[in-house]
Amino acid sequence: MKQYSLGLAAALTVTGTASQLRAQHFDEPSVMNQPYTQMVQDPYFGDYEGTYSAGEAGPEPSSPKPVPAEATVRALGNRAYAIVLRTHAADLDGALQAEVGGRMEGERVIVSGSSQGHEWEGEIGKQVLRVRKRGYGGVFEMKRVMKKSPIEALRPPPGAIVLLAFEPGQKPGLEMWTDAGWVTTSEGIMHKNPGEAPRPDLPRRDISTKREFKNVRLHLEFRIPYEPDLREQARGNSGVILADRYEVQVLDSYGLIPGDGDCASIYGVAPPRVNAAFPPLSWQTYDITFYAPGMEGGKMVRGPRLTVVWNGIKVHENQTTPTPTGDSERPNAGSGPIRIQDHGNLVYYRNIWVEELPDTQD
């Protein structure tokens, strides 16, 4: 898949020097007992913001002025990176976007590649990115930034049903959920039992609410592992499933053009309108408004509707699907439990609550 998108979060802690960097899977047994403060020695991946200058700036009115620009740096493992640089469309005649590669050498990442008919070169080091067109002028200059969802740690309103309480420093209970071998921590996190995966000889075990729901507004927060050596559906895979049938995908899709199997997609049906992903290890938020399908005599007379706000950005509005996601042969249903998928990756969840909604979709 190609590159695109946004974000980084405060949960990332950078330690050591770049020369100490090695490929590390987030769910290695050595870090299983560090659910919130796990160290990842990668000072390069994540978001950058700054400017793009199309040529030599000067005092003359005709001199080009720098315009806002941003970049995503996606870790690919084995000291390699994928870098997307772009300007904002409102500032030039269409957004300039370049997709190039990078490789760590010593205490920096050397950037180079051909994109948009130009050769690009530069480096990333000490929280700063500088990449320029070779021989033509034009330079991106940016600093690393950490982004946070505007609704992270959102408190449940009066009357909401709390499925997983979030009080930092207190270990929440799982009395609202079926026993699927998942565990919680004193940081308010719920995740699958780390002693059970990733192991191919043990079955995956989704966790579901004991209670069935029909129409809801669901808030939850999730944190995807740092797994630079993995690819596509093997990288931070999970999912949030409404009425036990209709899935909003969870995946490490940071820096990608999203498809219908990527993060925040209605799985197999529709990709998100934009990629609002933060990098792995960030806390991300979903606010999902779900209206269950209308059923008469076992037949669906009105499709389900899903509106998804991802990290504060609306990426679906009243998206429907004619069948359950991922299994078109399964019958539709007008209600069911909320299910969180175990796909073999150690994805963390916290602060989960729902508001029940009336049947009207106005």
Side-chain angles (χ1 to χ4, degrees):
M1 286 190 282
K2 295 182 180 179
Q3 308 331 87
Y4 190 71
S5 196
L6 306 168
L8 181 53
L12 174 64
T13 305
V14 178
T15 62
T17 65
S19 62
Q20 296 172 311
L21 178 64
R22 67 181 181 87
Q24 181 181 44
H25 286 194
F26 182 67
D27 48 9
E28 288 179 350
S30 63
V31 298
M32 286 292 192
N33 62 349
Q34 301 177 43
Y36 189 72
T37 59
Q38 187 230 350
M39 307 296 184
V40 173
Q41 296 173 321
D42 190 335
Y44 307 117
F45 88 98
D47 286 298
Y48 292 75
E49 292 182 348
T51 61
Y52 173 74
S53 298
E56 295 296 329
E60 296 80 11
S62 60
S63 298
K65 299 292 192 295
V67 297
E70 60 188 3
T72 59
V73 178
R74 180 175 170 87
L76 300 179
N78 195 29
R79 307 165 74 88
Y81 297 84
I83 299 137
V84 178
L85 309 138
R86 65 185 164 272
T87 62
H88 298 172
D91 303 307
L92 293 177
D93 294 332
L96 169 64
Q97 178 167 297
E99 303 179 24
V100 294
R103 179 163 293 278
M104 190 178 69
E105 296 182 10
E107 301 297 321
R108 59 183 181 168
V109 171
I110 302 300
V111 179
S112 64
S114 177
S115 183
Q116 302 295 314
H118 297 285
E119 294 295 322
W120 299 84
E121 61 185 7
E123 65 178 56
I124 308 170
K126 296 183 179 179
Q127 311 293 306
V128 174
L129 176 152
R130 191 175 193 275
V131 178
R132 66 179 180 86
K133 288 181 187 176
R134 187 180 300 162
Y136 286 91
V139 60
F140 287 97
E141 293 186 281
M142 307 186 203
K143 293 184 178 180
R144 194 175 185 215
V145 296
M146 294 185 178
K147 296 181 179 179
K148 182 176 179 179
S149 170
I151 47 179
E152 181 182 324
L154 183 66
R155 307 305 300 172
I161 300 168
V162 177
L163 300 176
L164 187 72
F166 179 56
E167 297 292 342
Q170 297 184 30
K171 182 177 179 178
L174 291 176
E175 60 274 4
M176 301 294 288
W177 302 85
T178 58
D179 183 5
W182 289 45
V183 296
T184 62
T185 76
S186 60
E187 290 83 9
I189 294 166
M190 176 178 78
H191 60 81
K192 65 186 298 180
N193 187 335
E196 293 187 356
R199 283 179 53 186
D201 58 318
L202 287 170
R204 295 170 179 167
R205 301 180 66 189
D206 297 355
I207 189 169
S208 301
T209 59
K210 294 177 180 177
R211 180 172 175 172
E212 292 196 356
F213 294 93
K214 189 176 182 182
N215 309 317
V216 296
R217 176 200 173 197
L218 169 68
H219 175 89
L220 61 77
E221 300 173 13
F222 61 95
R223 185 172 181 237
I224 289 170
Y226 176 74
E227 299 168 311
D229 295 333
L230 303 182
R231 294 293 180 270
E232 298 180 356
Q233 295 293 308
R235 190 161 165 159
N237 197 328
S238 183
V240 180
I241 303 165
L242 286 300
D244 199 40
R245 284 165 171 79
Y246 309 101
E247 179 181 2
V248 180
Q249 173 76 312
V250 170
L251 194 73
D252 179 7
S253 298
Y254 175 69
L256 299 178
I257 295 175
D260 63 14
D262 285 299
C263 199
S265 66
I266 310 304
Y267 187 75
V269 175
R273 295 173 178 174
V274 298
N275 186 345
F278 291 166
L281 300 184
S282 309
W283 280 108
Q284 306 192 57
T285 60
Y286 276 167
D287 282 88
I288 303 169
T289 301
F290 173 76
Y291 285 97
M295 306 294 293
E296 291 182 6
K299 294 184 178 181
M300 186 172 72
V301 296
R302 185 188 68 246
R305 295 287 186 273
L306 294 105
T307 296
V308 180
V309 178
W310 178 20
N311 293 330
I313 298 173
K314 185 181 289 185
V315 296
H316 293 286
E317 186 167 16
N318 288 325
Q319 176 64 50
T320 190
T321 174
T323 63
T325 58
D327 185 358
S328 61
E329 300 301 318
R330 193 178 184 195
N332 288 288
S335 66
I338 295 168
R339 177 159 54 96
I340 295 179
Q341 184 185 59
D342 168 14
H343 203 277
N345 300 95
L346 194 59
V347 178
Y348 294 164
Y349 290 90
R350 72 180 189 188
N351 194 24
I352 306 176
W353 47 265
V354 297
E355 294 179 281
E356 293 188 290
L357 303 174
D359 283 340
T360 178
Q361 297 190 34
D362 294 336

